[in-house]
Amino acid sequence: MQTMNKTTDSLLASAKQSLLYTANRPEVVMTRGEGMYLWDTDDKCYLDFIGGWAVTSLGHSPAVLQEALTYQSGQLVHASPGFYNKPMVEFADLLTEVSGFDKVFFASSGAEANESAIKLARKHGALHLNGAYEIITLTNSFHGRSLAMMSATGKEAFKPLFEPKVPGFIHVPINDFDACFAAISDRTCAIMLELVQGEGGVHAVDGPYLQALRKACDIYNIMLIFDEVQTGLGRTGKLFAYEHYGIKPDVMTLAKGIGSGFPLSAMLTTAEFDLFDPGDQGGTYSAAPLGMAAGHAVVSEIIRLGLADNAALQGELIKEKLTGLSTEYPISQVRGKGLLLAFDVPEGSAPMLAAECFKKGLLVNAPNQAAIRLMPPLIVSADDVEQMISILANALETVGLKNETVCS
């Protein structure tokens, strides 16, 4: 093993001394990024097929984001949420125009955007459903790490943590309308779901199931919320994942790719659900000029470059290449939409495979013990895909994951 230089050693020592232990991180320190690549302090290069967890939609340090931040930081960084500011109005106009929604609230993280949606749903329940407050979400879902969003999340590992949880969340299996319908009661104010469960291993909802949910929500006046924190802004091959289904929710949440690395999120809704009174919702950094300029630049560039189309194109190429690998290696269940993809490997081998890819300069994610998830920047090219497949095949070979040869 190559000895790390003093700079890396000292940085790692400082990190372990000063940072709260909240994640298992490899023994490297990232120092710069450009496009599809990250570099560490030893100048080792990594091809990034994690994309900051579907965040770096334009790749690392895109020029348009640099320019927007540089310009806006010289104009106005923060004016308080008690005033309108020019970038706020411009970005709100852009998002409502391209999304098909009427109103937007800005925040800084996906959890905050989802909290906003939950608050709006409960306001709807208080005003129109005799105080209904329960929200149906899905098992295996992920909606964020605030206490309320951990309560909404259907992740088994979250169940014993930080009790007591926030009450009012009912979890049902994905694509099981009968279970969802059985959970609806006079206490239900909303149904909230991801159209593709990213953290849950990349599992998409079915079209007929989603149609049935929309119909049930219309009949019972229940709010339908789509969490597009991970799927929004071109990730699935459409600008928004709901476009694949032709079914529009009452509320949609966005984050991650909306700022391509700048912390930014949004909750969008129709005029019908413009229900908040002043003081019901807010935040010190809501719609701050610097973030608004960043978001406007990023979303405009995603649209200008047609990156949703690129996500669809490259996603199909990745699926094709992974299917090709499956003839030699134990890869199965290649799935997903656009550039939110996953495949299965033998149980227990996914973390080992992800670690070997990392050693070889490829960043992939193991969301569980048997799945590898891919969510590269939307700028990924066919050459990048070829390089990823080559490193992945090499890693599969190194860890000994080969299909068994059956002799006749």
Side-chain angles (χ1 to χ4, degrees):
M1 181 177 177
Q2 184 178 357
T3 303
M4 290 180 290
N5 64 41
K6 184 177 180 181
T7 302
T8 305
D9 282 337
S10 61
L11 284 169
L12 287 171
S14 294
K16 292 173 183 178
Q17 179 178 342
S18 304
L19 290 171
L20 196 65
Y21 178 51
T22 59
N24 292 315
R25 297 181 172 100
E27 296 285 298
V28 300
V29 179
M30 298 302 182
T31 184
R32 62 188 176 94
E34 182 178 348
M36 289 292 300
Y37 294 93
L38 281 171
W39 285 264
D40 64 21
T41 47
D42 291 323
D43 211 31
K44 180 178 178 179
C45 180
Y46 302 85
L47 177 62
D48 190 358
F49 267 68
I50 293 177
W53 267 255
V55 166
T56 54
S57 48
L58 298 179
H60 294 283
S61 301
V64 291
L65 183 57
Q66 293 183 48
E67 291 164 6
L69 292 173
T70 299
Y71 174 79
Q72 189 58 44
S73 65
Q75 298 296 307
L76 181 65
V77 172
H78 187 75
S80 105
F83 299 103
Y84 292 117
N85 65 74
K86 186 170 180 282
M88 168 206 289
V89 176
E90 292 172 342
F91 190 31
D93 283 347
L94 175 62
L95 269 191
T96 53
E97 178 185 348
V98 301
S99 70
F101 291 87
D102 303 312
K103 304 285 183 175
V104 59
F105 172 79
F106 292 108
S108 302
S109 68
E112 287 177 275
N114 286 337
E115 290 261 2
S116 301
I118 295 302
K119 290 170 74 173
L120 189 61
R122 289 188 169 175
K123 186 70 181 276
H124 169 59
L127 292 175
H128 304 132
L129 296 172
N130 299 312
Y133 65 92
E134 286 185 349
I135 295 162
I136 298 171
T137 63
L138 303 185
T139 56
N140 215 34
S141 62
F142 186 87
H143 297 294
R145 293 185 182 276
S146 67
L147 190 56
M149 289 306 98
M150 290 183 76
S151 305
T153 291
K155 189 174 181 178
E156 283 295 318
F158 280 6
K159 283 186 176 179
L161 297 178
F162 314 123
E163 291 294 308
K165 292 288 197 307
V166 175
F169 295 98
I170 311 295
H171 302 102
V172 299
I174 188 173
N175 292 324
D176 187 340
F177 179 73
D178 290 340
C180 188
F181 189 79
I184 295 174
S185 73
D186 59 4
R187 297 183 301 276
T188 307
C189 67
I191 298 172
M192 179 178 184
L193 69 155
E194 303 158 278
L195 298 180
V196 182
Q197 293 184 333
E199 291 292 317
V202 187
H203 299 285
V205 298
D206 297 332
Y209 166 77
L210 203 60
Q211 290 174 354
L213 290 189
R214 178 69 274 179
K215 186 174 181 179
C217 287
D218 290 340
I219 290 171
Y220 294 108
N221 195 22
I222 295 169
M223 181 183 287
L224 183 60
I225 303 168
F226 290 171
D227 175 346
E228 291 224 32
V229 164
Q230 191 161 135
T231 57
L233 279 307
R235 174 60 49 186
T236 66
K238 300 281 189 182
L239 199 57
F240 306 101
Y242 83 80
E243 296 176 89
H244 289 284
Y245 300 91
I247 297 167
K248 186 179 174 183
D250 303 306
V251 172
M252 177 175 70
T253 57
L254 302 170
K256 294 188 181 290
I258 196 174
S260 196
F262 192 94
L264 186 61
S265 65
M267 179 197 72
L268 296 110
T269 189
T270 61
E272 177 186 356
F273 291 102
D274 183 6
L275 304 176
F276 284 143
D277 290 317
D280 281 355
Q281 182 59 313
T284 302
Y285 298 107
S286 176
L290 192 64
M292 297 296 92
H296 192 283
V298 168
V299 174
S300 297
E301 189 74 348
I302 289 171
I303 295 167
R304 185 184 74 82
L305 295 177
L307 292 184
D309 291 338
N310 189 61
L313 179 68
Q314 302 304 333
E316 287 305 309
L317 178 61
I318 292 170
K319 285 182 178 180
E320 177 188 323
K321 296 293 183 180
L322 289 173
T323 301
L325 281 186
S326 70
T327 62
E328 189 172 356
Y329 303 100
I331 287 173
S332 62
Q333 298 297 314
V334 177
R335 58 190 180 272
K337 294 180 185 297
L339 292 174
L340 180 54
L341 301 171
F343 60 90
D344 288 343
V345 290
E347 182 67 34
S349 66
M352 174 179 63
L353 178 58
E356 187 60 36
C357 286
F358 179 82
K359 290 179 185 177
K360 297 181 184 302
L362 171 66
L363 306 183
V364 298
N365 169 242
N368 56 52
Q369 293 293 312
I372 295 293
R373 179 171 47 154
L374 307 173
M375 26 189 181
L378 305 184
I379 61 168
V380 66
S381 69
D383 287 343
D384 298 323
V385 171
E386 291 289 353
Q387 186 182 357
M388 180 274 291
I389 291 293
S390 176
I391 298 173
L392 176 62
N394 193 306
L396 285 160
E397 196 78 37
T398 301
V399 300
L401 288 175
K402 294 272 287 184
N403 288 336
E404 294 182 8
T405 302
V406 179
C407 299
S408 57

